[in-house]
Amino acid sequence: MFYREAGDFKTSYGEDSQTFPIKFDRLRYFAVLAIAFGVVPLFINDYWANAVAVPFLIYAIAAIGLNILVGYAGQVSLGTGGFMAVGAYAVYKLMTAFPEVSIFIHVILAGGITAAVGVLFGLPSLRIKGFYLAVATLAAQFFLVWLFNKVPWFYNYSASGQINAPDRTIFGVFVTGAQTSAMAKYLFCLVMLTLVALVARNLTRGTVGRKWMAIRDMDIAAEIIGVNPLTTKLSAFAVSSFFIGIAGALFFAVYLGAAEVGEAFGIQKSFLILFMVIIGGLGSIFGSFAGAAFLVLLPVFLKNVLVGTLGWPTDLAAHIELMIVGGLIVVFLIAEPHGLAQLWRVAKEKLRLWPFPH
Amino acid sequence: MNDMSDGYVTADGRQIGGVLMEMKNITLKFGGVTAIKDISFDVRAGEIRAIIGPNGAGKSSMLNVISGFYVPTEGEVWFKGVKRGPMRPYQVARLGIARTFQNIALFDGMSVLDNILTGRLTLMKKGLLSQAAWWWSGAAQEEYEHREKVEKIIDFLEIQNIRKTPVGRLPYGLKKRVELARALAAEPKILLLDEPMAGMNVEEKEDMSRFILDVNDEFGTTIVLIEHDMGVVMDLSDRVVVMDYGKKIGDGTPDEVRTNQDVIDAYLGVAHD
């Protein structure tokens, strides 16, 4: 009854084009922000932070990044893991080389470095499309992982070949290293995610986003109305890689603390984030959140049910869990090929008429 | 018809200006096939210029040469008195040449409003970074200013009720209208229309004809159109180029073209003996 546009008159183009045109949605959005920033940090513990919250936040950043490339600009990429590795190694090199600079700046810079690498590997997109482009970015994935394995300079010649995040603070609170509290990890990632989501929304609502979508929907028509395909595709690669680089930097520095490139940023990571984007919904910021939540929460939930409630042995539960997640993905894609975001959209449209749909 | 160095007055009393665009000896070859053979014609400011001809005559190829998809094998395109070098389509768009396509080329995933706003992107100046900051950089302000211009076009073409509908859901006739709106949004000097009435019923054709005339009248836009419906062409256009097998066989007012023997032969066929 309260989910209505009726009576909520828009008197300017600004009001008409806002992200949440319905008042209830706006209120809910601010409520979610308030709870995420004000309530959750008070109650979060190590288990919730490490198993659920922090991976969700980081994967959501990566999913937004990939969604810009795949969902908005229509360029398929399987190099996400590799680009996350660039972010991770960039932040590691920056942290060790300039310990006095704030980690916040390092994370942003790591995103910038990844953006440059992304543009480089995005160059083939000017000539090839679809599956062929996917294969070309797959090459980026393997090349980057190989590079970080083989060149000792990247891991500061450490004997194990691993990289370890040194202790760094923001406002005197540890956000990386062993002494970091669950709350600090959570808040740091949350701030980054909020910034990323805002920037992504601003880019996609304006000229830049329309150029990307124009290239995605019909590249010939896009060119005829003045879209330069070269700069548009490369800007999509740059922005996408920037976000993915930030995600990679956080994944290593805040979440893992220590990483080995093949294990942490292998091809599985590329696929995982691509699944998040597809299940969540291509071309939707909300879909990136939904997809990340689905693939992070579902395994945790299943594990708790199977091991905790039903008392199955852990190894058996782990295998069954994979099968159930895989099955659910298939079911979901058959039921709604446009992802969770589309389900959400349909639900909202229904709700707008509820309870008198005729 | 030949003494019009500084324009002429049309049958319905409109003053037509000087030469805006000139095609000089255009030849276009694909391997061994010659699509266009040594064609020259001019387009004057403010006129409605039609290109007609039987199927495969090279009309669409000519439009593609103008809009930069094809680079002519020989010949030159002059625009506003300047010779145009080889250009990509997006550079042509920035010169102020907009077009629509024979088979609609809209962005199906975007709303009508977004489609039309995309048409204005050559006029929108804010870059990536100011877009990211949105409220603080004036990008939002710019967006709303352009939205106002777009709303005028939406009003003009009478598509207010569908402005937030995704284009993919619209019927054919409306899609054609949205495509016209998108081309108009760029505030073009020349508007190229590739079969704007293909596949329309009589009523839709009448609507579209009225819009074309109104565009020409209200915005002073020069229009080059390809069309098969002879009634429409003869009613709308000020001057007509007739093509057949890649060659120009006639050029002049509708009345002149109608009585041209080569044109009659091309359309009705001629006895070979």
Side-chain angles (χ1 to χ4, degrees):
Chain A
M1 295 298 253
F2 41 80
Y3 197 79
R4 290 285 186 280
E5 290 139 311
D8 190 6
F9 297 111
K10 311 283 192 289
T11 52
S12 71
Y13 293 133
E15 280 177 33
D16 190 45
S17 60
Q18 57 196 341
T19 310
F20 302 106
I22 293 178
K23 201 171 169 195
F24 178 77
D25 275 342
R26 283 198 294 282
L27 293 177
R28 193 202 47 210
Y29 162 71
F30 286 117
V32 168
L33 270 188
I35 291 171
F37 276 98
V39 180
V40 177
L42 301 178
F43 299 101
I44 198 157
N45 57 26
D46 272 334
Y47 170 75
W48 278 97
N50 286 328
V52 179
V54 172
F56 162 68
L57 296 171
I58 295 173
Y59 280 128
I61 297 177
I64 289 174
L66 189 64
N67 214 334
I68 283 183
L69 191 64
V70 183
Y72 283 95
Q75 311 295 311
V76 189
S77 166
L78 286 176
T80 320
F83 294 132
M84 282 180 80
V86 174
Y89 278 78
V91 86
Y92 173 67
K93 288 303 285 186
L94 287 166
M95 282 163 89
T96 47
F98 308 101
E100 66 285 350
V101 178
S102 163
I103 172 80
F104 180 78
I105 292 172
H106 282 327
V107 170
I108 301 288
L109 283 178
I113 293 169
T114 317
V117 177
V119 167
L120 193 68
F121 284 101
L123 285 173
S125 72
L126 305 173
R127 298 305 294 273
I128 51 180
K129 294 177 192 168
F131 290 122
Y132 302 93
L133 180 63
V135 173
T137 54
L138 196 60
Q141 167 74 41
F142 286 116
F143 171 75
L144 289 168
V145 167
W146 172 86
L147 183 74
F148 293 130
N149 250 331
K150 291 294 169 200
V151 182
W153 180 78
F154 285 114
Y155 49 86
N156 282 359
Y157 308 96
S158 75
S160 61
Q162 277 198 340
I163 52 175
N164 291 288
D167 298 347
R168 292 289 179 268
T169 61
I170 293 180
F171 303 131
V173 180
F174 283 103
V175 291
T176 65
Q179 306 162 59
T180 315
S181 69
M183 188 176 100
K185 280 184 189 177
Y186 168 80
L187 274 179
F188 185 40
C189 293
L190 182 64
V191 168
M192 295 308 288
L193 173 62
T194 311
L195 289 177
V196 164
L198 272 180
V199 169
R201 170 65 189 150
N202 286 343
L203 289 178
T204 51
R205 82 206 305 191
T207 322
V208 177
R210 282 195 294 269
K211 280 189 199 173
W212 289 338
M213 291 187 275
I215 285 283
R216 172 196 70 189
D217 284 349
M218 191 156 288
D219 48 359
I220 292 177
E223 225 184 323
I224 206 74
I225 56 173
V227 177
N228 182 342
L230 174 88
T231 53
T232 305
K233 283 180 183 172
L234 291 187
S235 72
F237 268 96
V239 173
S240 162
S241 310
F242 179 72
F243 293 159
I244 291 171
I246 288 179
L250 292 175
F251 195 72
F252 152 69
V254 178
Y255 179 57
L256 292 178
E260 195 278 317
V261 63
E263 211 172 292
F265 302 109
I267 181 76
Q268 314 92 300
K269 198 109 304 169
S270 298
F271 281 119
L272 177 66
I273 293 164
L274 191 63
F275 289 159
M276 286 177 183
V277 171
I278 292 173
I279 291 172
L282 288 167
S284 158
I285 305 279
F286 171 78
S288 314
F289 283 90
F294 187 82
L295 284 188
V296 170
L297 292 182
L298 194 63
V300 176
F301 173 74
L302 283 176
K303 191 186 224 164
N304 278 334
V305 169
L306 296 180
V307 182
T309 315
L310 300 178
W312 292 10
T314 356
D315 52 342
L316 177 67
H319 287 116
I320 297 280
E321 175 197 314
L322 278 180
M323 289 157 74
I324 295 179
V325 171
L328 276 176
I329 290 174
V330 174
V331 169
F332 248 103
L333 288 182
I334 291 172
E336 184 49 75
H338 297 292
L340 297 169
Q342 181 65 17
L343 283 179
W344 180 244
R345 231 171 277 143
V346 171
K348 284 209 290 193
E349 251 169 51
K350 291 239 164 86
L351 194 60
R352 211 174 277 181
L353 300 174
W354 184 85
F356 304 113
H358 297 294
Chain B
M1 263 334 276
N2 297 323
D3 56 333
M4 40 177 216
S5 48
D6 290 314
Y8 64 101
V9 179
T10 59
D12 57 334
R14 283 161 36 250
Q15 175 65 44
I16 300 298
V19 173
L20 182 60
M21 183 172 67
E22 192 170 9
M23 317 297 287
K24 287 185 180 172
N25 309 96
I26 300 285
T27 298
L28 180 69
K29 287 182 186 165
F30 299 107
V33 181
T34 308
I36 301 176
K37 224 176 277 171
D38 192 30
I39 288 191
S40 306
F41 65 94
D42 60 357
V43 178
R44 288 167 173 274
E47 75 179 343
I48 301 180
R49 191 79 150 114
I51 303 177
I52 62 171
N55 284 329
K59 307 180 296 292
S60 290
S61 300
M62 183 52 98
L63 227 53
N64 284 336
V65 168
I66 298 176
S67 55
F69 279 116
Y70 300 149
V71 177
T73 321
E74 283 164 46
E76 297 164 355
V77 181
W78 288 63
F79 184 67
K80 288 184 180 172
V82 185
K83 186 184 158 189
R84 208 176 79 183
M87 274 187 169
R88 302 287 308 149
Y90 68 89
Q91 295 168 312
V92 174
R94 285 171 196 175
L95 286 181
I97 298 179
R99 76 172 280 182
T100 64
F101 289 82
Q102 189 172 347
N103 31 15
I104 302 163
L106 286 168
F107 310 123
D108 279 349
M110 296 156 77
S111 69
V112 169
L113 190 62
D114 276 336
N115 265 277
I116 305 175
L117 271 168
T118 315
R120 287 193 76 78
L121 63 85
T122 52
L123 306 166
M124 297 174 81
K125 302 291 175 233
K126 297 283 179 192
L128 191 78
L129 290 179
S130 31
Q131 285 274 321
W134 196 248
W135 306 279
W136 300 290
S137 62
Q141 196 55 41
E142 187 190 41
E143 173 103 354
Y144 304 148
E145 280 161 20
H146 286 274
R147 171 82 190 269
E148 206 171 331
K149 300 265 170 55
V150 164
E151 286 294 339
K152 283 191 184 130
I153 293 166
I154 289 178
D155 263 3
F156 180 75
L157 293 175
E158 296 160 19
I159 45 178
Q160 296 93 335
N161 55 330
I162 52 164
R163 60 162 82 78
K164 299 241 165 128
T165 315
V167 162
R169 284 195 211 160
L170 295 178
Y172 181 81
L174 279 178
K175 278 190 187 173
K176 279 275 192 194
R177 217 184 282 181
V178 174
E179 205 188 8
L180 178 63
R182 188 183 66 189
L184 277 180
E187 297 177 6
K189 298 278 177 300
I190 296 186
L191 181 58
L192 311 173
L193 303 174
D194 195 350
E195 302 207 15
M197 326 220 184
M200 285 186 168
N201 61 32
V202 178
E203 200 182 331
E204 288 169 329
K205 276 185 186 175
E206 280 172 0
D207 278 348
M208 190 51 104
S209 305
R210 186 164 54 82
F211 287 132
I212 292 173
L213 288 173
D214 283 352
V215 167
N216 178 256
D217 195 36
E218 284 194 25
F219 304 120
T221 311
T222 307
I223 293 170
V224 177
L225 67 94
I226 291 179
E227 188 46 61
H228 274 298
D229 187 320
M230 278 308 131
V232 167
V233 171
M234 295 302 166
D235 281 351
L236 287 186
S237 49
D238 300 316
R239 288 194 297 153
V240 183
V241 176
V242 191
M243 291 176 71
D244 191 22
Y245 293 112
K247 282 182 291 201
K248 187 168 98 168
I249 56 171
D251 188 356
T253 63
D255 284 333
E256 286 170 348
V257 165
R258 213 190 314 243
T259 50
N260 182 326
Q261 191 56 46
D262 288 337
V263 177
I264 295 172
D265 290 348
Y267 271 91
L268 298 181
V270 62
H272 297 278
D273 45 14

